[in-house]
Every structure is written in structure tokens, then in C-alpha cells.
Amino acid sequence: MMDMEKTNKLGFETVSLDDDASALVIIDQTRLPNEQKILRLTTQKEIWDAIYLLQVRGAPAIGVAAAYGIYLAAKEIDTTDYNAFAKAFDKAREYLNSSRPTAVNLSWALARMGKIVEAGQGTSVAEIKKRLMAEARAIQAEDIEMCRKIGEHGLSLLKPGMGLLTHCNAGQLATSRYGTATAPMYLGHERGYGFRIFCDETRPLLQGARLTAYELSAAGMDVTLLCDGMAASAMRNGWVDAVFTGADRVAANGDAANKIGTFPLAIAAKRFGIPFYICAPSSTVDLDTLTGKDIKIEQRPAEEVTTMWYKVRMAPDNIKVFNPAFDVTDADLITAIITEKGVHYPPFSESLKKA
Ligand code: MRU
């Protein structure tokens, strides 16, 4: 088993339920790396805002936060009548589900919690609430285990001393532990592989610079930060042996939505013959979504591009802005998709279904 005591130097959990199960506890990721601010969220509005504002972010972490969030909503529903409870629960579920559209882990976790309520018909509401808490905890425990296995499968493809490039943050801060794209890096680091890691800064919200560079360097890895547009030059220089990214939703044919900027990275990797791997737990694979065209891409406010990280506005007033949070990498650009079940190669419509 990977020893996160050695690799996790962050000293906080990305997401958890507090000791008396009355609040969702997260590290506010919008303040990292400069400030470690822990938030205790109790109301549905606070949890919705935290997901929308990316205080908690990354597909698996959003799923875990939603599971705890809907448990907290259920706990507050003051009725012993099953039908009234189920109705109020569904309303709360719809509300949380509207916070971000692209990462399927959000609706996946909420649907899984919904099944507990459906299966509970005939039992007491108090018992259903207990089961919901257990299910949310199980979702988190499974996430840790899935990421650990992704790390093992990913590492089996790598050799010591390799240069690995990653985009956005698919790390511990995007999951409960280990990360997805970073899991092989953590594991290899612990086993003395001496990887050279390249992190795209990831415009416009800088998850690569603020979060991935932060967590991997805190773990003691050799990390180099790049602006997104520099990745192809790093590849041309021969520094990159493989690209590892996460995903927010993988369609049945293998098309994968991930943070904006992933798609051009895959094109560049193809140009230089560099393997491009998507790492994602099976909870991110959505066989009901047939191709990337069916994935809803979240559009974010213009201020994230023009203003947010600057002391003064860095664009003309009233300029038009295109700010999609994600793009879709076509399946034919992906060398393999790594889940907890193994390394899946094209044709993905067959290998994912089989897995
Ligand atoms: O907008 P974000 O920061 O939530 O986007 C996150 C990503 O795109 C991650 O790569 C993805 O969720 C996978 S996290 C293991």
C-alpha cells in the first residue's frame, strides 16, 4: 500500500465530514497555495457555492463533497413520513446537481445516494439517514482505493527518470487522496523513480500553478511549471516522455472532457509521438454519454479571464470573452485510459464497456 504519510505533506484533507457529522469540511482551494483556510459548510447554499466557486473542485472531490452535502441536507429534513422525506431529498439533490454540469461524478454520487433513499422505502426515515451517511463515507473510501489502483496501473507503464507532463490539478486536491493523473507520480516518487514533472499552469484559474505545483513539490518531487502554451516546446526539447491528465467525463467511445487546454496538449503529444494517458476512476466513465459531442461544457464568467488574478484589469473594457471550463479530447488522440480496473486501450467503445 502506498504510504501517504511519506508523500502527503499537505497536512489537511481535501474533503471530509466533521467528527459529529454536522458539517462538510474542505480546504478552500481558491486560497491555495498562499493560505490554508479550512471551511466548515453546513447549509446547502454554502455547499452549492463552494462547488460553483471551485473552493472544492476536481471531479472525484466534487462527487465526495456532493455525497456528504446531500447527507447533510437529508439530516435536516424534519419529517418521519417517507414520501415527504423522499420529495424534499429529491429537491435538495436537484439543487446540488445544478452547481456544475461537466464532471459526471457530481450526478453519479447524487444518484447513488438517491438509490439509498429508494431502497429505504418501508424503513424508518431515521434509518435511511444513517444509511446515507454510511454510503457517503463509502463513496469517499472507494475513491481513495480507486486512485491508489490507478497509480499502480499507471506506474506499470513508466520507467525511472522519465519526464511526465500534467495539466490542471488531478491530484490529491481533486480527490480524497493520491489523485488520478498524479497517483503514478506519487507512487513512483515513493519508489525512487526520480520523475521530472512538468505542470501546465492551466489558464485561466491556474489549478496547475496553484495546486499541482504546490502539492507535488510539497511531496518532494522535481517539478517545473510551464505556461500552457509552452508545453509543445517542452515536448520538442525531448523533456516529456508521457502526458497524464485527469477527466471530468469519459464518454462511451473514449472521448474525454477535461480542463480547457487538455485537447491541444493531446494534439501536441501526437505530433511528437508522446503517449497521452487519461487517468480516471470508473465513476468518471459515463457509458450513457455516447460521444464527446454529448458532453455539456460549462461556461464560466468572463472576469476569470480578464480580471481575477490581476491587480488591475488586463483586457479592454467590454471585450468579448470565450471561457469554457473544459474541452473534449477525441478518443483517437488518447493512447490509453487508466481506471482502477486497468489500462484500457482503443477501441475504447469495447475496452471501457468490458471493464
Ligand atoms: O474546474 P476544475 O478545477 O474542477 O477542473 C478539474 C479538472 O479538469 C480535473 O482534471 C478533473 O476534474 C479530474 S480530477 C481527478
PDB file of all heavy atoms in Angstrom, residues 313-339:
ATOM      1  N   ARG A 313      -7.425  45.283 -14.154  1.00  0.00           N
ATOM      2  CA  ARG A 313      -7.990  44.533 -15.274  1.00  0.00           C
ATOM      3  C   ARG A 313      -6.965  44.425 -16.407  1.00  0.00           C
ATOM      4  O   ARG A 313      -6.304  45.404 -16.758  1.00  0.00           O
ATOM      5  CB  ARG A 313      -9.252  45.280 -15.743  1.00  0.00           C
ATOM      6  CG  ARG A 313     -10.051  44.580 -16.795  1.00  0.00           C
ATOM      7  CD  ARG A 313     -11.261  45.421 -17.228  1.00  0.00           C
ATOM      8  NE  ARG A 313     -11.795  44.905 -18.459  1.00  0.00           N
ATOM      9  CZ  ARG A 313     -12.705  43.920 -18.521  1.00  0.00           C
ATOM     10  NH1 ARG A 313     -13.212  43.407 -17.423  1.00  0.00           N
ATOM     11  NH2 ARG A 313     -13.117  43.466 -19.687  1.00  0.00           N
ATOM     12  N   MET A 314      -6.834  43.256 -17.025  1.00  0.00           N
ATOM     13  CA  MET A 314      -5.821  43.026 -18.047  1.00  0.00           C
ATOM     14  C   MET A 314      -6.433  42.818 -19.432  1.00  0.00           C
ATOM     15  O   MET A 314      -5.916  42.031 -20.220  1.00  0.00           O
ATOM     16  CB  MET A 314      -4.983  41.793 -17.675  1.00  0.00           C
ATOM     17  CG  MET A 314      -3.927  42.080 -16.653  1.00  0.00           C
ATOM     18  SD  MET A 314      -2.657  43.129 -17.363  1.00  0.00           S
ATOM     19  CE  MET A 314      -1.917  43.753 -15.859  1.00  0.00           C
ATOM     20  N   ALA A 315      -7.530  43.496 -19.693  1.00  0.00           N
ATOM     21  CA  ALA A 315      -8.161  43.403 -21.010  1.00  0.00           C
ATOM     22  C   ALA A 315      -9.006  44.648 -21.189  1.00  0.00           C
ATOM     23  O   ALA A 315      -9.433  45.255 -20.197  1.00  0.00           O
ATOM     24  CB  ALA A 315      -9.027  42.164 -21.100  1.00  0.00           C
ATOM     25  N   PRO A 316      -9.241  45.044 -22.444  1.00  0.00           N
ATOM     26  CA  PRO A 316     -10.080  46.231 -22.644  1.00  0.00           C
ATOM     27  C   PRO A 316     -11.465  46.031 -22.033  1.00  0.00           C
ATOM     28  O   PRO A 316     -11.967  44.900 -22.001  1.00  0.00           O
ATOM     29  CB  PRO A 316     -10.196  46.323 -24.171  1.00  0.00           C
ATOM     30  CG  PRO A 316      -9.196  45.394 -24.722  1.00  0.00           C
ATOM     31  CD  PRO A 316      -8.828  44.403 -23.679  1.00  0.00           C
ATOM     32  N   ASP A 317     -12.052  47.123 -21.583  1.00  0.00           N
ATOM     33  CA  ASP A 317     -13.434  47.052 -21.085  1.00  0.00           C
ATOM     34  C   ASP A 317     -14.321  46.513 -22.197  1.00  0.00           C
ATOM     35  O   ASP A 317     -14.095  46.796 -23.376  1.00  0.00           O
ATOM     36  CB  ASP A 317     -13.928  48.457 -20.701  1.00  0.00           C
ATOM     37  CG  ASP A 317     -13.289  48.915 -19.402  1.00  0.00           C
ATOM     38  OD1 ASP A 317     -12.801  48.046 -18.642  1.00  0.00           O
ATOM     39  OD2 ASP A 317     -13.237  50.136 -19.174  1.00  0.00           O
ATOM     40  N   ASN A 318     -15.311  45.751 -21.806  1.00  0.00           N
ATOM     41  CA  ASN A 318     -16.337  45.243 -22.734  1.00  0.00           C
ATOM     42  C   ASN A 318     -15.820  44.301 -23.821  1.00  0.00           C
ATOM     43  O   ASN A 318     -16.520  44.070 -24.803  1.00  0.00           O
ATOM     44  CB  ASN A 318     -17.087  46.408 -23.425  1.00  0.00           C
ATOM     45  CG  ASN A 318     -17.730  47.304 -22.398  1.00  0.00           C
ATOM     46  OD1 ASN A 318     -18.235  46.811 -21.389  1.00  0.00           O
ATOM     47  ND2 ASN A 318     -17.689  48.605 -22.628  1.00  0.00           N
ATOM     48  N   ILE A 319     -14.593  43.801 -23.688  1.00  0.00           N
ATOM     49  CA  ILE A 319     -14.112  42.845 -24.704  1.00  0.00           C
ATOM     50  C   ILE A 319     -14.925  41.559 -24.586  1.00  0.00           C
ATOM     51  O   ILE A 319     -15.324  41.163 -23.488  1.00  0.00           O
ATOM     52  CB  ILE A 319     -12.596  42.556 -24.516  1.00  0.00           C
ATOM     53  CG1 ILE A 319     -12.001  41.859 -25.736  1.00  0.00           C
ATOM     54  CG2 ILE A 319     -12.327  41.716 -23.286  1.00  0.00           C
ATOM     55  CD1 ILE A 319     -11.738  42.786 -26.871  1.00  0.00           C
ATOM     56  N   LYS A 320     -15.182  40.913 -25.724  1.00  0.00           N
ATOM     57  CA  LYS A 320     -15.894  39.631 -25.667  1.00  0.00           C
ATOM     58  C   LYS A 320     -14.933  38.555 -25.164  1.00  0.00           C
ATOM     59  O   LYS A 320     -13.750  38.567 -25.532  1.00  0.00           O
ATOM     60  CB  LYS A 320     -16.386  39.241 -27.066  1.00  0.00           C
ATOM     61  CG  LYS A 320     -17.570  40.064 -27.524  1.00  0.00           C
ATOM     62  CD  LYS A 320     -18.181  39.488 -28.778  1.00  0.00           C
ATOM     63  CE  LYS A 320     -17.308  39.862 -29.980  1.00  0.00           C
ATOM     64  NZ  LYS A 320     -17.853  39.371 -31.249  1.00  0.00           N
ATOM     65  N   VAL A 321     -15.424  37.649 -24.358  1.00  0.00           N
ATOM     66  CA  VAL A 321     -14.562  36.605 -23.789  1.00  0.00           C
ATOM     67  C   VAL A 321     -15.200  35.238 -24.018  1.00  0.00           C
ATOM     68  O   VAL A 321     -16.400  35.073 -23.854  1.00  0.00           O
ATOM     69  CB  VAL A 321     -14.353  36.839 -22.266  1.00  0.00           C
ATOM     70  CG1 VAL A 321     -13.629  35.659 -21.622  1.00  0.00           C
ATOM     71  CG2 VAL A 321     -13.581  38.125 -22.021  1.00  0.00           C
ATOM     72  N   PHE A 322     -14.374  34.269 -24.391  1.00  0.00           N
ATOM     73  CA  PHE A 322     -14.805  32.871 -24.520  1.00  0.00           C
ATOM     74  C   PHE A 322     -14.133  32.122 -23.371  1.00  0.00           C
ATOM     75  O   PHE A 322     -12.915  32.081 -23.310  1.00  0.00           O
ATOM     76  CB  PHE A 322     -14.331  32.355 -25.884  1.00  0.00           C
ATOM     77  CG  PHE A 322     -14.578  30.890 -26.145  1.00  0.00           C
ATOM     78  CD1 PHE A 322     -15.826  30.310 -25.954  1.00  0.00           C
ATOM     79  CD2 PHE A 322     -13.546  30.083 -26.623  1.00  0.00           C
ATOM     80  CE1 PHE A 322     -16.040  28.963 -26.220  1.00  0.00           C
ATOM     81  CE2 PHE A 322     -13.752  28.732 -26.900  1.00  0.00           C
ATOM     82  CZ  PHE A 322     -14.999  28.178 -26.700  1.00  0.00           C
ATOM     83  N   ASN A 323     -14.911  31.592 -22.443  1.00  0.00           N
ATOM     84  CA  ASN A 323     -14.307  30.972 -21.259  1.00  0.00           C
ATOM     85  C   ASN A 323     -14.946  29.625 -20.901  1.00  0.00           C
ATOM     86  O   ASN A 323     -15.555  29.468 -19.849  1.00  0.00           O
ATOM     87  CB  ASN A 323     -14.388  31.939 -20.059  1.00  0.00           C
ATOM     88  CG  ASN A 323     -13.648  31.395 -18.839  1.00  0.00           C
ATOM     89  OD1 ASN A 323     -12.789  30.515 -18.958  1.00  0.00           O
ATOM     90  ND2 ASN A 323     -13.964  31.915 -17.670  1.00  0.00           N
ATOM     91  N   PRO A 324     -14.769  28.629 -21.788  1.00  0.00           N
ATOM     92  CA  PRO A 324     -15.265  27.294 -21.422  1.00  0.00           C
ATOM     93  C   PRO A 324     -14.332  26.671 -20.390  1.00  0.00           C
ATOM     94  O   PRO A 324     -13.106  26.806 -20.492  1.00  0.00           O
ATOM     95  CB  PRO A 324     -15.200  26.520 -22.749  1.00  0.00           C
ATOM     96  CG  PRO A 324     -14.125  27.204 -23.532  1.00  0.00           C
ATOM     97  CD  PRO A 324     -14.072  28.639 -23.089  1.00  0.00           C
ATOM     98  N   ALA A 325     -14.900  25.999 -19.402  1.00  0.00           N
ATOM     99  CA  ALA A 325     -14.059  25.417 -18.345  1.00  0.00           C
ATOM    100  C   ALA A 325     -13.381  24.122 -18.793  1.00  0.00           C
ATOM    101  O   ALA A 325     -12.395  23.703 -18.198  1.00  0.00           O
ATOM    102  CB  ALA A 325     -14.913  25.152 -17.108  1.00  0.00           C
ATOM    103  N   PHE A 326     -13.929  23.493 -19.841  1.00  0.00           N
ATOM    104  CA  PHE A 326     -13.412  22.179 -20.245  1.00  0.00           C
ATOM    105  C   PHE A 326     -13.343  22.087 -21.759  1.00  0.00           C
ATOM    106  O   PHE A 326     -14.005  22.847 -22.462  1.00  0.00           O
ATOM    107  CB  PHE A 326     -14.343  21.061 -19.723  1.00  0.00           C
ATOM    108  CG  PHE A 326     -14.503  21.110 -18.220  1.00  0.00           C
ATOM    109  CD1 PHE A 326     -15.614  21.721 -17.642  1.00  0.00           C
ATOM    110  CD2 PHE A 326     -13.527  20.590 -17.390  1.00  0.00           C
ATOM    111  CE1 PHE A 326     -15.741  21.799 -16.265  1.00  0.00           C
ATOM    112  CE2 PHE A 326     -13.652  20.664 -16.010  1.00  0.00           C
ATOM    113  CZ  PHE A 326     -14.759  21.266 -15.443  1.00  0.00           C
ATOM    114  N   ASP A 327     -12.537  21.159 -22.250  1.00  0.00           N
ATOM    115  CA  ASP A 327     -12.618  20.789 -23.661  1.00  0.00           C
ATOM    116  C   ASP A 327     -12.665  19.268 -23.755  1.00  0.00           C
ATOM    117  O   ASP A 327     -12.470  18.562 -22.752  1.00  0.00           O
ATOM    118  CB  ASP A 327     -11.471  21.396 -24.499  1.00  0.00           C
ATOM    119  CG  ASP A 327     -10.076  21.032 -24.019  1.00  0.00           C
ATOM    120  OD1 ASP A 327      -9.919  19.978 -23.370  1.00  0.00           O
ATOM    121  OD2 ASP A 327      -9.137  21.795 -24.299  1.00  0.00           O
ATOM    122  N   VAL A 328     -12.938  18.797 -24.965  1.00  0.00           N
ATOM    123  CA  VAL A 328     -13.045  17.351 -25.161  1.00  0.00           C
ATOM    124  C   VAL A 328     -11.870  16.889 -26.008  1.00  0.00           C
ATOM    125  O   VAL A 328     -11.605  17.435 -27.075  1.00  0.00           O
ATOM    126  CB  VAL A 328     -14.380  16.983 -25.853  1.00  0.00           C
ATOM    127  CG1 VAL A 328     -14.406  15.491 -26.210  1.00  0.00           C
ATOM    128  CG2 VAL A 328     -15.567  17.325 -24.953  1.00  0.00           C
ATOM    129  N   THR A 329     -11.154  15.912 -25.514  1.00  0.00           N
ATOM    130  CA  THR A 329     -10.068  15.301 -26.283  1.00  0.00           C
ATOM    131  C   THR A 329     -10.648  14.087 -27.005  1.00  0.00           C
ATOM    132  O   THR A 329     -11.243  13.199 -26.386  1.00  0.00           O
ATOM    133  CB  THR A 329      -8.920  14.871 -25.335  1.00  0.00           C
ATOM    134  OG1 THR A 329      -8.419  16.053 -24.697  1.00  0.00           O
ATOM    135  CG2 THR A 329      -7.800  14.191 -26.099  1.00  0.00           C
ATOM    136  N   ASP A 330     -10.472  14.087 -28.335  1.00  0.00           N
ATOM    137  CA  ASP A 330     -11.033  12.995 -29.128  1.00  0.00           C
ATOM    138  C   ASP A 330     -10.310  11.690 -28.803  1.00  0.00           C
ATOM    139  O   ASP A 330      -9.094  11.660 -28.590  1.00  0.00           O
ATOM    140  CB  ASP A 330     -10.872  13.303 -30.624  1.00  0.00           C
ATOM    141  CG  ASP A 330     -11.526  14.632 -30.970  1.00  0.00           C
ATOM    142  OD1 ASP A 330     -12.708  14.801 -30.634  1.00  0.00           O
ATOM    143  OD2 ASP A 330     -10.833  15.503 -31.527  1.00  0.00           O
ATOM    144  N   ALA A 331     -11.086  10.631 -28.816  1.00  0.00           N
ATOM    145  CA  ALA A 331     -10.555   9.318 -28.426  1.00  0.00           C
ATOM    146  C   ALA A 331      -9.318   8.922 -29.234  1.00  0.00           C
ATOM    147  O   ALA A 331      -8.412   8.282 -28.707  1.00  0.00           O
ATOM    148  CB  ALA A 331     -11.655   8.273 -28.593  1.00  0.00           C
ATOM    149  N   ASP A 332      -9.263   9.348 -30.514  1.00  0.00           N
ATOM    150  CA  ASP A 332      -8.129   8.897 -31.332  1.00  0.00           C
ATOM    151  C   ASP A 332      -6.814   9.578 -30.948  1.00  0.00           C
ATOM    152  O   ASP A 332      -5.756   9.211 -31.455  1.00  0.00           O
ATOM    153  CB  ASP A 332      -8.434   9.087 -32.832  1.00  0.00           C
ATOM    154  CG  ASP A 332      -8.567  10.546 -33.213  1.00  0.00           C
ATOM    155  OD1 ASP A 332      -8.996  11.361 -32.363  1.00  0.00           O
ATOM    156  OD2 ASP A 332      -8.245  10.883 -34.365  1.00  0.00           O
ATOM    157  N   LEU A 333      -6.873  10.553 -30.059  1.00  0.00           N
ATOM    158  CA  LEU A 333      -5.641  11.189 -29.581  1.00  0.00           C
ATOM    159  C   LEU A 333      -5.167  10.575 -28.259  1.00  0.00           C
ATOM    160  O   LEU A 333      -4.127  10.948 -27.732  1.00  0.00           O
ATOM    161  CB  LEU A 333      -5.872  12.692 -29.376  1.00  0.00           C
ATOM    162  CG  LEU A 333      -6.224  13.504 -30.623  1.00  0.00           C
ATOM    163  CD1 LEU A 333      -6.601  14.937 -30.233  1.00  0.00           C
ATOM    164  CD2 LEU A 333      -5.053  13.510 -31.603  1.00  0.00           C
ATOM    165  N   ILE A 334      -5.967   9.668 -27.714  1.00  0.00           N
ATOM    166  CA  ILE A 334      -5.675   9.116 -26.384  1.00  0.00           C
ATOM    167  C   ILE A 334      -5.023   7.737 -26.527  1.00  0.00           C
ATOM    168  O   ILE A 334      -5.574   6.842 -27.177  1.00  0.00           O
ATOM    169  CB  ILE A 334      -6.981   9.016 -25.551  1.00  0.00           C
ATOM    170  CG1 ILE A 334      -7.602  10.408 -25.386  1.00  0.00           C
ATOM    171  CG2 ILE A 334      -6.715   8.372 -24.191  1.00  0.00           C
ATOM    172  CD1 ILE A 334      -9.014  10.406 -24.795  1.00  0.00           C
ATOM    173  N   THR A 335      -3.847   7.583 -25.940  1.00  0.00           N
ATOM    174  CA  THR A 335      -3.138   6.298 -26.038  1.00  0.00           C
ATOM    175  C   THR A 335      -3.860   5.234 -25.222  1.00  0.00           C
ATOM    176  O   THR A 335      -4.061   4.105 -25.684  1.00  0.00           O
ATOM    177  CB  THR A 335      -1.694   6.460 -25.494  1.00  0.00           C
ATOM    178  OG1 THR A 335      -1.100   7.569 -26.161  1.00  0.00           O
ATOM    179  CG2 THR A 335      -0.865   5.205 -25.698  1.00  0.00           C
ATOM    180  N   ALA A 336      -4.229   5.597 -23.991  1.00  0.00           N
ATOM    181  CA  ALA A 336      -4.953   4.638 -23.136  1.00  0.00           C
ATOM    182  C   ALA A 336      -5.681   5.410 -22.052  1.00  0.00           C
ATOM    183  O   ALA A 336      -5.287   6.532 -21.696  1.00  0.00           O
ATOM    184  CB  ALA A 336      -3.992   3.633 -22.513  1.00  0.00           C
ATOM    185  N   ILE A 337      -6.737   4.800 -21.552  1.00  0.00           N
ATOM    186  CA  ILE A 337      -7.478   5.359 -20.418  1.00  0.00           C
ATOM    187  C   ILE A 337      -7.209   4.436 -19.233  1.00  0.00           C
ATOM    188  O   ILE A 337      -7.409   3.211 -19.331  1.00  0.00           O
ATOM    189  CB  ILE A 337      -8.986   5.456 -20.733  1.00  0.00           C
ATOM    190  CG1 ILE A 337      -9.196   6.431 -21.908  1.00  0.00           C
ATOM    191  CG2 ILE A 337      -9.779   5.905 -19.502  1.00  0.00           C
ATOM    192  CD1 ILE A 337     -10.614   6.473 -22.465  1.00  0.00           C
ATOM    193  N   ILE A 338      -6.724   5.027 -18.144  1.00  0.00           N
ATOM    194  CA  ILE A 338      -6.343   4.209 -16.987  1.00  0.00           C
ATOM    195  C   ILE A 338      -7.406   4.391 -15.904  1.00  0.00           C
ATOM    196  O   ILE A 338      -7.645   5.507 -15.441  1.00  0.00           O
ATOM    197  CB  ILE A 338      -4.960   4.644 -16.454  1.00  0.00           C
ATOM    198  CG1 ILE A 338      -3.923   4.574 -17.583  1.00  0.00           C
ATOM    199  CG2 ILE A 338      -4.544   3.771 -15.266  1.00  0.00           C
ATOM    200  CD1 ILE A 338      -2.588   5.214 -17.237  1.00  0.00           C
ATOM    201  N   THR A 339      -8.071   3.311 -15.554  1.00  0.00           N
ATOM    202  CA  THR A 339      -9.024   3.349 -14.441  1.00  0.00           C
ATOM    203  C   THR A 339      -8.503   2.403 -13.356  1.00  0.00           C
ATOM    204  O   THR A 339      -7.456   1.759 -13.539  1.00  0.00           O
ATOM    205  CB  THR A 339     -10.444   2.886 -14.853  1.00  0.00           C
ATOM    206  OG1 THR A 339     -10.417   1.467 -15.054  1.00  0.00           O
ATOM    207  CG2 THR A 339     -10.933   3.575 -16.107  1.00  0.00           C
TER     208      THR A 339
END
